[in-house]
Amino acid sequence: MDQLQAGGTRPRLVLWRHGQTEWNVLEKAQGHADIPLDATGRYQAQQAAKLLATFSPRFIWSSDLERARHTAAELAHLTGLEPVLDKRLREYHVGIREGTTFAEFRQQHPDVYEKFFTEENYRVPGAELPSEVNQRMKTVMMEAALTLRGGGTGVLVGHGAALRNGLMAFFDAPAHMREMFAGMANCAWTVLEEHPDRGWQIIDFNAQTLPKTSVPLADDMPAEHDT
């Protein structure tokens, strides 16, 4: 398998989504539920870690949820680094959506489902607001970026929806631009690099040069819904 080239000394952030879980396959919203990797997810993490290790990361920060922790552990094993667990890298807390597909959510809570799609920054009962997720993700990403002022690579291991929203918040991108970015596949990664004149840039998005295809994000909105 071809290796990624570390190259250069510019500061670089790698956003790495955890490997596949059973709930990913079933398209259930996981949120803060501590769902472990399945056999495919463990294999994905092992293979991805071999590629990401070629970046010679300076640090690994990870969500403390099991699926992210165990993904990060594969890279830690190859690099000798000790992952730093940070709750700010957790997935959205999805409240009453936890453990449901979108179809089940709609059936069980039709009024909440309607507001979820029609009201900006709506709080599903028991869940975080999108703006709250954006803020915690932006904060931890900015801290990681500052840690890399001397150059080198840092790896942040997290979750699909939170990582995508964190990416948007990091660049202060307007909310409508979120639809420009596909959901990150299981064990895929996105690479940011700081250009000396232009600042931070996305140089790779949703890289997934891994065997076995991924499954859709449970937190991706359905293509169609009644309004």
Side-chain angles (χ1 to χ4, degrees), residues 164-183:
R164 181 164 57 171
N165 276 44
L167 181 68
M168 299 289 295
F170 184 79
F171 286 102
D172 293 321
H176 73 269
M177 291 184 65
R178 185 179 187 275
E179 301 308 318
M180 294 175 58
F181 294 90

Side-chain angles (χ1 to χ4, degrees), residues 15-18 24 91 159-165 167-168 177-190 205-208 214-221:
L15 312 180
W16 187 21
R17 187 188 177 203
H18 63 80
N24 288 144
E91 184 59 287
H159 308 264
L163 285 174
R164 181 164 57 171
N165 276 44
L167 181 68
M168 299 289 295
M177 291 184 65
R178 185 179 187 275
E179 301 308 318
M180 294 175 58
F181 294 90
M184 289 176 65
N186 284 121
C187 246
W189 56 87
T190 290
F205 178 75
N206 203 21
Q208 47 185 306
S214 187
V215 295
L217 270 176
D219 285 313
D220 273 338
M221 293 184 179

Side-chain angles (χ1 to χ4, degrees), residues 1-142:
M1 184 177 291
D2 292 339
Q3 288 189 325
L4 301 173
Q5 297 300 313
T9 59
R10 290 180 181 176
R12 180 182 289 141
L13 271 178
V14 177
L15 312 180
W16 187 21
R17 187 188 177 203
H18 63 80
Q20 180 179 287
T21 72
E22 180 183 4
W23 278 22
N24 288 144
V25 176
L26 297 174
E27 299 185 19
K28 292 184 176 184
Q30 296 181 112
H32 287 190
D34 215 7
I35 309 301
L37 299 177
D38 62 16
T40 295
R42 292 191 294 273
Y43 181 70
Q44 290 172 334
Q46 291 166 3
Q47 297 304 307
K50 295 175 185 178
L51 296 173
L52 296 181
T54 66
F55 279 135
S56 300
R58 287 175 48 189
F59 61 78
I60 305 167
W61 296 358
S62 175
S63 158
D64 63 337
L65 296 176
E66 182 176 348
R67 55 193 184 274
R69 275 199 337 265
H70 288 185
T71 299
E74 295 296 340
L75 182 58
H77 175 72
L78 296 178
T79 60
L81 296 170
E82 183 70 28
V84 174
L85 302 183
D86 194 319
K87 292 182 178 180
R88 293 175 299 178
L89 289 168
R90 285 185 174 190
E91 184 59 287
Y92 271 78
H93 193 317
V94 295
I96 61 173
R97 286 185 53 219
E98 186 176 295
T100 68
T101 65
F102 268 112
E104 291 167 341
F105 174 45
R106 180 180 185 179
Q107 181 181 32
Q108 295 170 14
H109 306 282
D111 293 341
V112 176
Y113 180 93
E114 175 74 13
K115 293 177 181 179
F116 180 75
F117 284 106
T118 58
E119 296 186 14
E120 185 177 356
N121 205 37
Y122 172 68
R123 188 189 297 278
V124 171
E128 289 180 282
L129 288 172
S131 58
E132 292 170 342
V133 178
N134 292 349
Q135 185 57 50
R136 64 173 166 85
M137 289 297 297
K138 180 177 181 178
T139 300
V140 71
M141 289 176 64
M142 292 295 293

